[in-house]
């Protein structure tokens, strides 16, 4: 869950290098350029992009701009279609059986490997077009003074997706601020290296 929920997990980043002020001024237009595109009327397996912080259905920021004082707030939306393996197996079996019936009428008995692959792809496409995509939303808050960014998830795949899309959108690179990195920043590099050799302690009741 994100900032608008009672609890959640977060990943903190900092921007590597200098931040171009012109890029910050262009941020609303850059977000719109890489905004989420709906796939409800397609058979696409997934779609992702930026949406408004307050409303994940708003890809034009009609109700509220991303700028919030010296912060920017927006969200990353990911829609994914999933087909149950059991459902796919059932419909593939039906399609293969139908193919065999047709072949018997033509005096054939063998389905080639390539033909089986074609049937599987056709079945998958058919099921995809009938399945509704499942939306997931991950909120982002960007402090444009400290250049610290909070992503409301700790999922590794979503972190990578966010980092790649952020770089594509703003032409800037991100560095995760791990606990070890933060400790090194506070106490210095030399003392920070000693942290790597610390052993965890066990506390008994």
């Amino acid at each position: 869950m994100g900032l608008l929920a009672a609890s959640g997990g977060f990943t903190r980043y900092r921007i590597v290098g200098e931040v171009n002020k012109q890029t910050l001024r262009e941020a609303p237009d850059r977000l719109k350029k890489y905004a989420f595109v709906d796939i409800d009327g397609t058979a696409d397996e997934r779609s992702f992009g930026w949406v408004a912080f307050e409303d994940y259905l708003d890809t034009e920021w009609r109700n509220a701009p991303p700028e919030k004082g010296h912060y920017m707030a927006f969200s990353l939306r990911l829609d994914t279609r999933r087909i149950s393996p059991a459902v796919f197996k059932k419909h593939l079996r039906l399609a293969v059986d139908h193919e065999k019936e047709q072949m018997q009428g033509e005096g054939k008995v063998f389905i080639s490997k390539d033909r089986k692959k074609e049937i599987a792809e056709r079945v998958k496409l058919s099921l995809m077009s009938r399945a509704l995509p499942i939306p997931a939303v991950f909120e982002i808050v960007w402090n444009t003074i400290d250049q610290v960014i909070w992503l409301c998830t700790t999922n590794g795949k979503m972190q990578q997706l966010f980092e790649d899309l952020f770089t594509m959108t703003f032409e800037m690179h991100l560095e995760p601020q791990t606990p070890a990195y933060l400790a090194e920043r506070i106490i210095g590099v030399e003392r920070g290296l000693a942290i790597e050799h610390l052993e965890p302690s066990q506390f008994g009741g």
Side-chain angles (χ1 to χ4, degrees), residues 13 15 27-28 43 47-48 67 70 72 76 79 94 98 102 106 108 127-128 134 138 145 157 173 197:
Y13 294 90
I15 295 175
S47 179
F48 59 88
E67 301 97 334
H70 67 270
M72 277 218 265
L76 171 59
D79 277 24
L94 290 171
H98 179 69
Q102 288 186 322
E106 299 171 0
K108 300 177 183 178
L127 293 174
M128 279 289 187
I134 302 170
F138 306 89
I145 292 180
K157 291 183 179 179
H173 295 279
H197 304 291

Side-chain angles (χ1 to χ4, degrees), residues 15 34-35 71-72 82 87 96 120 153 168:
I15 295 175
Y34 293 95
Y71 289 89
M72 277 218 265
R82 297 188 182 94
V87 171
V96 170
T153 183
M168 186 184 302

